[in-house]
Amino acid sequence: MKKQLIIVSHALELGGAERSLIGLLSALNPEEWDVDLFLLRHEGVLMDAIPDYVNLLPQIPAYTVLERPMKDTLKEGHFILTAARLLGKICAECYSKKNKHTDSAVSIEYSNKFINPFVPKINPSKEYDLAISFLTPHYFVRDKVNAKKKIAWIHTDYTSIQINRESELKMWSAYDAIASISDAASAGFIKVFPELKEKVFLFENILPAELIKKQTEEFSAENEMPKECIRLLSIGRFCFAKNFDNVPDMCARLLQYGLDVKWYLIGFGGDEGLIRSKIKESGMEDRVIILGKKENPYPYIKACDLYVQPSRYEGKCVTVREAQMLHKPVVITKYATSSSQLEDGVDGVIVPMDNEGCAKGIEALLINQKKINELINNCKLRDYSNSEEVKKLE
């Protein structure tokens, strides 16, 4: 008899967590699992990547009020929900100000917590064997899904974000188990929530290998990334964590070292204006190229000479694993969880996070073709899909 599973997430925009969700869905055996997927919003370029055997539940209007302009949700008649979200925003700002937060994640948590009492149950006629809340905040699966067992996912380094610990502790404590995407992410989470240590287990991101390889060959990115110089590529949301605002300065340093490089950025997000201003400030308009949001990033990974993840913090970056899967040399900065991302000097290189140290580390690799070839060959020998992880759901 098939086990009944529901997975709840936000949407399917182009992000690492979203691609790992597609990997998880693709790895599930439809002969063993009857899978329902509930998304708060039916949006994103990865919607078409949902496997055929997954039942996408209908969108519920009340859940769509999150992560959209409040003026739009008011026009749609969501008065109580919008008011609750606004109250959550005000309370989060007060909490962050009182605790002197500079980059707080409290507003995201409060937005979900404050509307939680006013949204309906998800598929209330059905009791599931297992429910997965794939992205935090984890209030909806906790309170709005009927299931015998519930798992919540950790996708980030909790020592690098500012939260309301007591509030989140109540949220996480309701789950039977907590899945973490790396040992380093687990350690960071347990440091913040030591009382939850026994619930945490490792569940690495699953990458849909065949889909990635197929999409890599869909078109050539050579027109947008011509072979006229060394091509660096970074992919991610344009936000504080990804550190793309420092890319123009790093690129300028590489040029000063005599390297003929262009650095391409794929993604979108609130920091785009900041990144563009830094590009102009550094005089890098012809060297740091924002390609924007790409439905299929894999041909661009194939076209680059070096993949760089200059992040301030990560849980475990999916695009780094995808670049390794496509046999690309990879450089990442020494964020707290970097050692769980790759084996330094073997299938990638870890460099200092400061701009000069990062640029020097990239230069050292680019002038060492022997090391580049070694990294490429080692990537070819490894399986980065992690498809066997799905067995842990048993």
Side-chain angles (χ1 to χ4, degrees):
M1 186 175 177
K2 289 185 181 182
K3 292 173 285 293
Q4 302 298 308
L5 169 65
I6 184 171
I7 302 177
V8 176
S9 195
H10 298 185
L12 284 176
E13 294 290 358
L14 188 63
E18 289 81 0
R19 293 201 298 281
S20 69
L21 173 55
I22 295 298
L24 171 58
L25 292 170
S26 300
L28 290 164
N29 185 345
E31 295 183 1
E32 297 179 6
W33 296 92
D34 186 5
V35 187
D36 285 350
L37 174 65
F38 179 77
L39 299 174
L40 307 190
R41 303 179 316 283
H42 287 193
E43 298 174 2
V45 297
L46 295 175
M47 290 292 294
D48 291 340
I50 299 172
D52 292 339
Y53 53 79
V54 174
N55 176 36
L56 179 63
L57 295 175
Q59 184 173 272
I60 299 176
Y63 287 91
T64 67
V65 303
L66 294 164
E67 298 180 34
R68 291 200 294 131
M70 292 190 199
K71 66 178 187 298
D72 293 344
T73 59
L74 278 174
K75 287 178 183 177
E76 294 167 7
H78 298 295
F79 303 117
I80 294 175
L81 290 164
T82 305
R85 186 178 156 198
L86 179 60
L87 180 60
K89 180 181 180 180
I90 294 169
C91 291
E93 288 173 352
C94 291
Y95 180 88
S96 297
K97 185 176 181 180
K98 179 181 177 182
N99 291 275
K100 299 180 181 179
H101 287 181
T102 56
D103 183 43
S104 180
V106 175
S107 60
I108 299 173
E109 184 223 334
Y110 277 29
S111 64
N112 285 245
K113 181 168 73 171
F114 276 66
I115 78 161
N116 185 50
F118 305 104
V119 294
K121 290 269 191 178
I122 299 169
N123 208 13
S125 62
K126 189 171 182 179
E127 182 184 44
Y128 294 92
D129 295 300
L130 177 63
I132 292 173
S133 181
F134 200 72
L135 281 175
T136 191
H138 297 299
Y139 290 103
F140 301 138
V141 168
R142 185 191 74 174
D143 296 338
K144 305 299 178 179
V145 174
N146 299 320
K148 296 172 184 175
K149 297 286 183 181
K150 297 182 180 183
I151 302 176
W153 240 253
I154 307 168
H155 285 279
T156 194
D157 174 16
Y158 260 74
T159 61
S160 299
I161 59 175
Q162 298 166 326
I163 62 169
N164 180 336
R165 197 196 93 91
E166 295 308 314
S167 179
E168 288 218 8
L169 177 60
K170 293 177 183 177
M171 176 186 76
W172 291 98
S173 296
Y175 284 85
D176 298 286
I178 299 169
S180 171
I181 61 174
S182 73
D183 288 328
S186 299
F189 183 84
I190 292 167
K191 185 175 181 180
V192 177
F193 301 107
E195 53 272 86
L196 299 178
K197 180 179 179 180
E198 298 306 315
K199 293 191 176 189
V200 178
F201 72 100
L202 178 66
F203 194 110
E204 296 204 42
N205 288 319
I206 297 175
L207 302 182
E210 293 306 315
L211 175 64
I212 289 171
K213 289 171 184 175
K214 178 183 176 183
Q215 289 185 316
T216 301
E217 304 302 327
E218 283 186 355
F219 62 88
S220 171
E222 297 291 340
N223 288 336
E224 293 174 89
M225 297 173 61
K227 290 182 180 179
E228 56 190 23
C229 60
I230 301 169
R231 298 161 296 179
L232 279 58
L233 176 66
S234 300
I235 301 174
R237 286 192 176 89
F238 293 168
C239 62
F240 178 80
K242 300 302 180 184
N243 198 28
F244 291 169
D245 51 297
N246 276 315
V247 164
D249 180 69
M250 295 175 192
C251 189
R253 292 171 188 270
L254 291 172
L255 293 171
Q256 289 171 6
Y257 302 154
L259 293 169
D260 185 13
V261 302
K262 284 191 177 182
W263 199 322
Y264 296 89
L265 301 177
I266 289 178
F268 65 99
D271 275 6
E272 183 170 343
L274 172 63
I275 297 166
R276 290 190 181 278
S277 69
K278 292 289 187 179
I279 291 172
K280 186 174 182 181
E281 182 183 307
S282 303
M284 291 290 104
E285 290 94 336
D286 295 329
R287 293 290 178 167
V288 179
I289 314 297
I290 294 179
L291 295 174
K293 184 177 179 180
K294 296 295 181 182
E295 183 173 341
N296 178 3
Y298 305 118
Y300 300 90
I301 296 177
K302 180 183 178 181
C304 79
D305 299 299
L306 179 68
Y307 184 84
V308 184
Q309 198 66 45
S311 301
R312 290 180 170 101
Y313 62 87
E314 293 279 355
K316 195 161 191 177
C317 183
V318 171
T319 25
V320 169
R321 302 302 293 269
E322 290 171 334
Q324 292 171 312
M325 181 181 285
L326 296 175
H327 311 146
K328 289 294 172 178
V330 168
V331 167
I332 66 173
T333 44
K334 195 172 183 179
Y335 43 81
T337 60
S338 60
S339 61
S340 68
Q341 180 78 71
L342 54 78
E343 191 175 351
D344 188 22
V346 178
D347 63 342
V349 173
I350 300 174
V351 299
M353 192 177 294
D354 66 282
N355 290 2
E356 182 179 0
C358 183
K360 280 289 186 184
I362 292 172
E363 179 206 21
L365 179 59
L366 289 177
I367 63 175
N368 188 346
Q369 190 59 49
K370 182 179 178 182
K371 172 57 73 172
I372 288 174
N373 292 338
E374 183 183 320
L375 297 178
I376 291 170
N377 290 332
N378 287 338
C379 286
K380 289 178 179 178
L381 296 174
R382 300 191 176 198
D383 178 13
Y384 293 101
S385 67
N386 293 327
S387 57
E388 293 298 305
E389 289 290 282
V390 75
K391 295 179 180 179
K392 293 181 180 179
L393 292 186
E394 294 289 348

